[in-house]
């Protein structure tokens, strides 16, 4: 079955950096676009970033553009999110999500359990 | 960016009630509209995709409708396990925005 396991979260000071990982299994990772979504404590879902199956065409939410970089290593079935210049408002649970698409369908059909990032001095 | 709004923000209901949540997009998203359910401490789970298609394994009491800018999620007979927060999401543009959520409680 599909498994997405995030790791790399933790406590970091404002201005610091962190790299999140999402290990994928149970599906053909190399054929799937992947996304990162975050959720601040007690708040709603916020889409963060998207990367096509081949690693080309990256898209970012306005709040993270220029600070975060999404990438993937298809040989390791792993998705990454490099976060720099972190701010307290980046504090959130970060989820990776797999896409199912075709025709008029495009949705996140599997999610990881999340990894918590806390930005605080 | 396409902005998503939901109403109501929260609602109180009882087991067996029929409830409807509304989602509105700031511009047309055709039928690229999905609904997710999230319970406390858990990752979201897709219920409805492409506005009206029920995800495999999701109970038939859930249904979705609409196109363009206005969409609905209906639960025909609320069950105890349905008390959760519901989010709509547009997948029409490459900024896959979510609505602010609707919390359904007892």
């Amino acid at each position: 079955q599909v498994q997405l396991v995030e790791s790399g979260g933790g406590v970091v000071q404002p201005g610091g950096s962190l790299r999140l990982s999402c290990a994928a299994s149970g599906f053909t990772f190399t054929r799937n676009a992947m996304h990162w979504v975050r959720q601040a404590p007690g708040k709603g879902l916020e889409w963060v970033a998207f990367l096509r199956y081949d690693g080309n065409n990256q898209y970012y939410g306005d709040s993270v553009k220029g600070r975060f970089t999404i990438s993937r290593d298809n040989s390791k079935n792993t998705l990454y999110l490099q976060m720099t210049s972190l701010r307290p408002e980046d504090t959130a649970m970060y989820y990776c999500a797999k896409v199912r698409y075709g025709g008029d369908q495009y949705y996140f059909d599997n999610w990881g359990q999340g990894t918590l990032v806390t930005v605080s001095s | 960016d396409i902005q998503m709004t939901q109403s109501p923000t929260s609602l109180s209901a009882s087991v067996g009630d029929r409830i409807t949540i509304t989602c509105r997009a700031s511009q047309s998203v055709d039928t690229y509209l999905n609904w997710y359910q999230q319970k406390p401490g858990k990752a979201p789970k897709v219920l409805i995709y492409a506005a009206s298609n029920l995800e495999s394994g999701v109970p038939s009491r859930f249904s979705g409708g609409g196109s363009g800018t206005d969409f609905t999620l209906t639960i025909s007979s609320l069950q105890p396990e349905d008390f959760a927060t519901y989010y709509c999401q547009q997948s029409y543009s490459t900024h896959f925005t979510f609505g602010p959520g609707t919390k359904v409680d007892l």
Side-chain angles (χ1 to χ4, degrees), chain A residues 13-80:
Chain A
Q13 292 190 339
S17 300
L18 209 57
R19 188 177 83 156
L20 306 183
S21 299
C22 170
S25 61
F27 65 101
T28 307
F29 182 74
T30 54
R31 293 183 184 174
N32 276 264
M34 298 291 294
H35 292 251
W36 287 99
V37 176
R38 71 183 181 183
Q39 186 170 37
K43 302 296 184 182
L45 301 171
E46 179 187 9
W47 172 77
V48 172
F50 155 50
L51 183 62
R52 277 177 29 142
Y53 69 97
D54 56 4
N56 295 325
N57 298 99
Q58 306 159 20
Y59 299 89
Y60 298 93
D62 292 342
S63 61
V64 307
K65 195 169 186 178
R67 301 187 298 121
F68 290 11
T69 302
I70 187 172
S71 64
R72 63 195 295 160
D73 185 337
N74 283 347
S75 69
K76 295 182 178 179
N77 283 3
T78 302
L79 177 74
Y80 301 102

Side-chain angles (χ1 to χ4, degrees), chain B residues 2 5 14 16 18 20 24 33-34 36 41 48 54 58-59 65-66 80 82 84 87-89 92 94 97-98 104:
Chain B
I2 299 175
T5 58
S14 300
R18 177 185 181 92
T20 296
R24 177 164 288 174
L33 191 286
N34 310 307
Y36 299 87
I48 302 286
L54 195 68
V58 174
D82 301 336
Y87 296 92
C88 62
Q89 178 211 28
Y92 182 81
T94 51
T97 40
F98 290 90
V104 177

Side-chain angles (χ1 to χ4, degrees), chain B residues 56-102:
Chain B
S56 175
V58 174
S60 59
R61 63 181 178 270
F62 291 93
S63 63
S67 66
T69 60
D70 295 309
F71 301 88
T72 57
L73 172 70
T74 297
I75 308 176
S76 61
S77 178
L78 207 57
Q79 297 302 300
E81 60 268 30
D82 301 336
F83 292 96
T85 301
Y86 295 85
Y87 296 92
C88 62
Q89 178 211 28
Q90 64 83 17
S91 54
Y92 182 81
S93 80
T94 51
H95 283 210
F96 298 80
T97 40
F98 290 90
T102 296

